[in-house]
Amino acid sequence: MKNNTVVTVGDINYLWGIFMLIASMRKSGMDEPVLVGAHKFTPEAEEILKQLGDVTVYTLKDIDRSLTCYKPLVMLQAQTEYISWADSDGYFVGNCSKRLPPLSPEEIHVRMRSPEEQPGAFRGYEYGEDGRSIPKAILEVWKADIGGNSEPRTHRSCSACCLSVHRSARPFLEKWHDQMMKILPAGNKGVVDRSLKYYHQLDESVLNSVLSFWPQAPRVSDTFRLDKDPNELFVHFVGIPKPWINWTPNSFRHFDTYTAVADWAVKQGFKLPGPLPYSLNPAHKTMCRLMLHPVNIGTKIKRRLKKMFH
């Protein structure tokens, strides 16, 4: 759909992820223009992405926060009727062009968490509540910071990994960006900062504060349409390592469809971001499965050591 731009962002360490995201679109026949917010890219890295067709690179300079905080800024560079965001550690299964945009200009097409999933988004921040909704203490701070609605429009949070708006929502994107620059402290601690009591999910926390309390925010869609049909999905790889490094027990169920993207890119003769990673070779499925447990243990050890020394 040429009236919709797919936007993502990443640094040179995420080149494989961005490449796979765009390649998954082209493999499935999705012809949307792609806009990449890039940080510390080389000219060669840009060309590797541009060869996939209709890819524009927007260079991010002089940034002082995690790249995840610049989602709306890059989205605002798009000029199409619809603007869709997709995290660079995700990919599309099948042609999702018709499923991406909101059904009406007044909506934001985004996935709202279920009550059962909600506690995971605020682990350690339940404030004595059951966690199935956004804690009241957080909502009160958001309300004060936004200065808009007296009551939240929703009591559950939305995931910021994939969303889409009409161009009439540009003021909303501007508000989201401005609010992040105002509320979030400078510094890069990744995509989550547990030291922030009310905004630990950074861009996602601010997104939900704006959706909840800003009167001009678009209405959250009733249904998220990119997780209903197994043949037309957006898959987001949560946590680390990412599949182009190693597989995790949670991500491995997507091995076949993700490595099929890499296999397609190889057969098409595209220049790859580097040698094909062992984990993206379909022939290595059995060994990757055997490595799931050791990789999982190694990741946990690294996290504990990081906590100990930081």
Side-chain angles (χ1 to χ4, degrees), residues 259-306:
T259 57
V261 174
D263 190 51
W264 173 85
V266 169
K267 290 177 178 177
Q268 292 296 310
F270 289 119
K271 183 177 181 180
L272 303 179
L276 182 69
Y278 186 93
S279 59
L280 294 188
N281 188 329
H284 298 158
K285 184 176 183 178
T286 298
M287 184 57 67
C288 288
R289 181 188 289 113
L290 292 173
M291 289 298 296
L292 290 177
H293 187 57
V295 168
N296 194 37
I297 292 175
T299 301
K300 290 180 178 179
I301 291 174
K302 288 179 181 178
R303 284 176 177 168
R304 290 178 182 176
L305 289 174
K306 186 177 180 179

Side-chain angles (χ1 to χ4, degrees), residues 91 93 233-237 243 247-260 285:
Y91 75 110
V93 176
L233 300 172
F234 177 73
V235 177
H236 180 221
F237 292 115
W247 291 92
T248 69
N250 182 57
S251 65
F252 190 71
R253 65 185 186 276
H254 302 294
F255 181 93
D256 291 339
T257 53
Y258 197 61
T259 57
K285 184 176 183 178

Side-chain angles (χ1 to χ4, degrees), residues 24-296:
S24 74
M25 295 173 58
R26 302 305 185 235
K27 175 180 180 292
S28 300
M30 296 175 66
D31 64 355
E32 289 88 348
V34 177
L35 177 59
V36 179
H39 183 54
K40 295 183 178 180
F41 264 38
T42 62
E44 181 184 19
E46 293 189 15
E47 291 305 314
I48 285 172
L49 299 182
K50 289 179 178 179
Q51 70 179 324
L52 295 169
D54 210 354
V55 175
T56 302
V57 175
Y58 175 76
T59 301
L60 290 165
K61 298 180 180 179
D62 302 322
I63 61 174
D64 61 357
R65 292 169 174 81
S66 169
L67 281 175
T68 195
C69 299
Y70 296 91
K71 291 181 180 181
L73 176 65
V74 183
M75 292 177 74
L76 283 164
Q77 311 310 310
Q79 301 300 318
T80 46
E81 182 178 5
Y82 294 96
I83 310 167
S84 297
W85 173 266
D87 272 5
S88 54
D89 53 354
Y91 75 110
F92 291 96
V93 176
N95 191 322
C96 299
S97 291
K98 293 182 179 179
R99 292 181 178 269
L100 260 177
L103 294 178
S104 72
E106 295 77 26
E107 285 186 351
I108 175 173
H109 182 211
V110 65
R111 188 178 72 84
M112 182 178 288
R113 290 186 174 87
S114 67
E116 293 75 23
E117 181 190 6
Q118 190 65 46
F122 292 93
R123 187 174 294 114
Y125 290 83
E126 290 88 347
Y127 296 91
E129 301 174 30
D130 62 11
R132 293 168 66 88
S133 60
I134 302 171
K136 293 178 181 178
I138 291 180
L139 289 174
E140 287 300 313
V141 171
W142 288 359
K143 179 172 70 173
D145 288 342
I146 297 295
N149 299 331
S150 59
E151 295 295 329
R153 299 165 80 186
T154 176
H155 289 274
R156 286 184 279 132
S157 64
C158 298
S159 168
C161 70
C162 184
L163 56 89
S164 185
V165 295
H166 185 262
R167 63 186 173 198
S168 59
R170 292 178 70 87
F172 158 73
L173 295 177
E174 292 170 353
K175 176 65 176 177
W176 182 15
H177 174 73
D178 291 345
Q179 195 70 8
M180 280 195 284
M181 297 302 105
K182 174 184 175 182
I183 295 296
L184 301 179
N188 184 359
K189 293 189 177 181
V191 296
V192 174
D193 184 352
R194 288 290 179 182
S195 69
L196 301 179
K197 191 172 183 180
Y198 305 105
Y199 293 97
H200 70 285
Q201 291 179 304
L202 303 180
D203 64 294
E204 189 170 299
S205 294
V206 176
L207 169 70
N208 282 292
S209 73
V210 177
L211 290 175
S212 294
F213 292 103
W214 197 53
Q216 288 77 43
R219 179 176 61 84
V220 174
S221 55
D222 294 329
T223 303
F224 185 64
R225 301 185 302 281
L226 287 163
D227 62 356
K228 301 296 185 292
D229 185 339
N231 297 309
E232 295 177 356
L233 300 172
F234 177 73
V235 177
H236 180 221
F237 292 115
V238 179
I240 55 173
K242 302 303 181 184
W244 58 90
I245 303 296
N246 266 314
W247 291 92
T248 69
N250 182 57
S251 65
F252 190 71
R253 65 185 186 276
H254 302 294
F255 181 93
D256 291 339
T257 53
Y258 197 61
T259 57
V261 174
D263 190 51
W264 173 85
V266 169
K267 290 177 178 177
Q268 292 296 310
F270 289 119
K271 183 177 181 180
L272 303 179
L276 182 69
Y278 186 93
S279 59
L280 294 188
N281 188 329
H284 298 158
K285 184 176 183 178
T286 298
M287 184 57 67
C288 288
R289 181 188 289 113
L290 292 173
M291 289 298 296
L292 290 177
H293 187 57
V295 168
N296 194 37

